[in-house]
Amino acid sequence: MEKQFDIVVIGAGPGGYVAAIRAAQLGYRTAIVEKYSTLGGTCTNVGCIPSKALLDSTEHFYEASEKFKTHGIELDNLRINFDQLMKRKNDVVKQNTSGLSFLMKKNKIEVIEGKASFLNNTSIKVSGNGGDWNVRSNYFIIATGSKPSGIPGVEIDKTRIITSTEALSLETLPKDMIIIGGGVIGVEMASIYARVGTKVTIVEYANDLLPTMDHDLGKELKKLFLKRGISVLLNHKVQSATNEGNSVHLKYLDENNEQKEMVSEYCLVAVGRKPYTEGLGLENTNIKLDERGRIKTNQLLQTNDSNIYAIGDVVAGPMLAHKAEEEGAFVAETINGQKPHIHYHLIPGVVYTWPEIASVGYTEEQLQKENKSYNTGKFPFIASGRARAAMEPEGFVKVLSDPKYGEILGVHVIGPRAADLITQAVIGMYYETTAEDMFRMSYAHPTYSEAMKEAYLIASGQGAINL
Ligand code: FAD
Ligand code: NAD
């Protein structure tokens, strides 16, 4: 059976579905191939969406148990219905995947279910329940995403030694959980389970949580985690984890290189993700991988076969849904002869702990490494009237700016609604504004965003009003 298209996208995650929609909008006969029966990829099915659904539910529970009384709201017999928690999460995922199916129909994109494998640079074989298809196309866009990485000595068996995928669908609330890796997945999953009573221990190799972000953020988060009863073991090296039936036995070297052991009901491995190209038949093309298994592309995201592009987690750059989405639109527009641009330096990173964490631009460590001088403006949320009214005094805004011209170099926020606050910093940096431009605008009072204004004021040298 044969099919022919202008553009075929392989993989229906945020990179793939945005590429397909943009291609269809531009008038191309477009198909999207997905090996699973639902669209949306990692992000929608086992990543961003289900994790945020559980983060929201569990934060509500935490608020109700820890803060409501102070607000004057008395609740009796507050408890978690774990089945309902997971059911709501599943419903949210379903709403999102169904929404994507609707968008494919609306944009007249043919969805082909099955696993794609290149036969050569102009055709793929798609093997699925509906049989095998030979699909020809002028252009292909590879958006096959990523899978969890592992570490030596730790075999992920998906029952006791699990990845984020299993952790998002546990059937009962665990008594305790070890999390290997204090990166983004580690701290988000720690938040979810600790809020509902699981005793969580994070074992992290580096000397800070979230070691790739500005270090002040990880330091502040550690303090907040300790207050919330999460154990954080930094500079610790895992040696092995073994499934003992009803528990996991972990062996590790502590910060003094002494061997220690720990037992827990589950061990979540969250040590990064790796590009996924298995079974894609790249050997039948000229496509090359780099030393980390990512598909090599040029600046137009074109592979060694000029009609095949690659985007999202399977290529270099941050493994983020919005980065994949930008690249999806970029490639469709590039094929169309347009000259789009992605400002990679200004892709924000957000961590959905509470308080949230969000960053854009240079970290202080990067500026120091590059010997660049900078001004720092740091404003704590405890000095914000809005934060005090909301009982959200934790965290700060940190602005790094150029001492000579005032240009904003980086903004790092840990605090209430940081995920949404960061957008104004992205806009400011996109237009190369100065810290002074940013504080001269009027900010509504009382809002969390006033903390941003105060940090810009301090970075510009004028000094804060409310500190
Ligand atoms: P994916 O979403 O991985 O999609 C790839 C798709 O390709 C999959 O559906 C796969 O089945 C399909 N596929 C692979 N090979 C083939 C083949 N040969 N044939 C057919 N189909 C194939 N990012 C954020 O920005 N914000 C968040 O809050 C966030 N939270 C996350 C939480 C978790 C727990 C995880 C694991 C990730 C999270 N991410 C988040 C990262 C985000 O999910 C990824 O960056 C994003 O999904 C990458 O999109 P993609 O389109 O490149 O690939
Ligand atoms: P990560 O790279 O964020 O963190 C991995 C952590 O594991 C690092 O801190 C690293 O030092 C640590 N580590 C590595 N080897 C170790 C070892 N042997 N022992 C102990 N610690 C070790 O990766 P992740 O948390 O697995 O997330 C994977 C990807 O998914 C990330 O690239 C992230 O961007 C994406 N993601 C994004 C979001 C979001 O945007 N909110 C949420 C979840 C996941």
Side-chain angles (χ1 to χ4, degrees):
M1 295 186 287
E2 288 236 340
K3 286 175 187 278
Q4 167 81 45
F5 297 92
D6 298 327
I7 298 182
V8 169
V9 181
I10 304 174
Y17 69 72
V18 170
I21 291 171
R22 193 71 192 109
Q25 284 174 339
L26 292 168
Y28 295 102
R29 274 176 309 152
T30 307
I32 190 162
V33 185
E34 171 54 55
K35 69 179 173 140
Y36 290 125
S37 58
T38 57
L39 305 178
T42 304
C43 178
T44 314
N45 292 283
V46 291
C48 330
I49 299 299
S51 60
K52 266 78 259 178
L54 292 182
L55 279 156
D56 278 333
S57 298
T58 54
E59 183 57 21
H60 288 319
F61 179 72
Y62 179 83
E63 292 257 318
S65 23
E66 302 293 321
K67 294 189 179 169
F68 275 20
K69 205 167 174 194
T70 317
H71 280 286
I73 305 165
E74 305 264 344
L75 284 171
D76 292 326
N77 205 15
L78 189 69
R79 64 197 183 284
I80 277 286
N81 177 341
F82 196 67
D83 288 346
Q84 173 57 23
L85 189 89
M86 288 294 176
K87 182 186 169 300
R88 190 195 82 93
K89 180 265 302 177
N90 293 339
D91 291 346
V92 172
V93 169
K94 190 144 192 298
Q95 284 159 19
N96 282 272
T97 55
S98 310
L100 288 172
S101 298
F102 164 78
L103 288 176
M104 295 304 123
K105 277 203 193 86
K106 182 186 154 201
N107 287 286
K108 303 193 171 48
I109 296 163
E110 182 157 341
V111 177
I112 307 173
E113 190 184 327
K115 181 147 181 160
S117 183
F118 280 97
L119 298 169
N120 52 53
N121 71 339
T122 54
S123 60
I124 54 171
K125 183 172 122 183
V126 181
S127 318
N129 289 339
D132 285 358
W133 289 93
N134 191 339
V135 181
R136 298 177 59 76
S137 182
N138 300 337
Y139 295 97
F140 287 95
I141 302 174
I142 302 173
T144 50
S146 61
K147 288 275 176 233
S149 301
I151 51 170
V154 179
E155 193 194 324
I156 298 171
D157 57 33
K158 299 190 180 182
T159 53
R160 290 282 153 201
I161 304 175
I162 59 178
T163 70
S164 52
T165 301
E166 294 73 49
L168 289 168
S169 285
L170 292 181
E171 284 174 7
T172 52
L173 181 59
K175 189 167 58 41
D176 46 21
M177 181 185 282
I178 295 166
I179 301 181
I180 307 179
V184 195
I185 292 183
V187 302
E188 289 189 355
M189 298 305 304
S191 303
I192 290 173
Y193 281 103
R195 287 167 188 167
V196 290
T198 301
K199 175 81 196 89
V200 176
T201 304
I202 298 177
V203 185
E204 165 60 53
Y205 187 69
N207 59 358
D208 263 318
L209 291 173
L210 302 171
T212 56
M213 298 184 89
D214 190 284
H215 285 206
D216 276 356
L217 299 171
K219 285 189 173 50
E220 182 75 4
L221 183 66
K222 183 181 166 191
K223 275 195 252 161
L224 300 176
F225 269 8
L226 295 180
K227 272 209 265 177
R228 292 183 178 201
I230 299 172
S231 303
V232 179
L233 307 179
L234 301 176
N235 296 306
H236 278 55
K237 189 168 189 282
V238 170
Q239 294 180 303
S240 66
T242 39
N243 181 340
E244 304 283 336
N246 292 327
S247 62
V248 179
H249 195 133
L250 189 87
K251 284 190 182 159
Y252 60 94
L253 295 176
D254 72 7
E255 66 272 47
N256 303 317
N257 240 8
E258 279 176 31
Q259 199 182 56
K260 298 265 170 69
E261 299 183 1
M262 207 187 314
V263 174
S264 189
E265 217 177 313
Y266 288 96
C267 173
L268 164 60
V269 183
V271 295
R273 292 177 62 88
K274 55 182 182 203
Y276 182 67
T277 53
E278 231 174 83
L280 196 53
L282 295 185
E283 62 284 2
N284 300 324
T285 68
N286 292 309
I287 295 173
K288 296 275 173 285
L289 303 181
D290 70 12
E291 70 295 345
R292 290 162 69 179
R294 302 173 298 195
I295 292 180
K296 273 192 185 173
T297 66
N298 62 16
Q299 287 191 333
L300 295 177
L301 297 171
Q302 221 166 8
T303 67
N304 278 359
D305 277 313
S306 60
N307 66 321
I308 306 178
Y309 291 75
I311 60 173
D313 280 9
V314 80
V315 300
M319 288 183 164
L320 295 173
H322 42 291
K323 178 264 195 182
E325 291 178 6
E326 294 300 325
E327 291 183 336
F330 174 93
V331 163
E333 289 169 9
T334 301
I335 292 172
N336 190 240
Q338 301 178 28
K339 302 246 173 300
H341 176 70
I342 298 177
H343 212 321
Y344 281 98
H345 181 58
L346 296 185
I347 292 175
V350 171
V351 188
Y352 295 83
T353 47
W354 194 269
E356 292 172 336
I357 296 174
S359 251
V360 62
Y362 289 104
T363 65
E364 194 162 353
E365 292 74 26
Q366 284 169 335
L367 293 175
Q368 283 167 356
K369 204 167 158 204
E370 293 182 19
N371 274 327
K372 286 194 180 161
S373 40
Y374 56 91
N375 284 350
T376 306
K378 204 167 171 185
F379 185 83
F381 277 98
I382 196 160
S384 143
R386 180 72 188 91
R388 281 196 299 263
M391 254 179 92
E392 296 287 0
E394 292 163 333
F396 55 79
V397 176
K398 173 172 167 181
V399 169
L400 303 168
S401 65
D402 183 283
K404 193 163 172 204
Y405 303 107
E407 188 180 343
I408 303 159
L409 302 173
V411 178
H412 309 282
V413 187
I414 175 165
R417 302 194 196 153
D420 295 295
L421 288 178
I422 203 67
T423 307
Q424 61 117 296
V426 177
I427 297 170
M429 290 175 72
Y430 191 89
Y431 290 104
E432 297 177 8
T433 59
T434 63
E436 178 166 351
D437 293 327
M438 293 304 284
F439 78 68
R440 294 257 171 232
M441 292 175 223
S442 176
Y443 289 61
H445 176 73
T447 56
Y448 295 122
S449 65
E450 288 170 300
M452 306 282 280
K453 175 171 177 154
E454 297 276 3
Y456 293 126
L457 273 161
I458 302 168
S460 70
Q462 178 172 317
I465 303 292
N466 285 295
L467 193 65

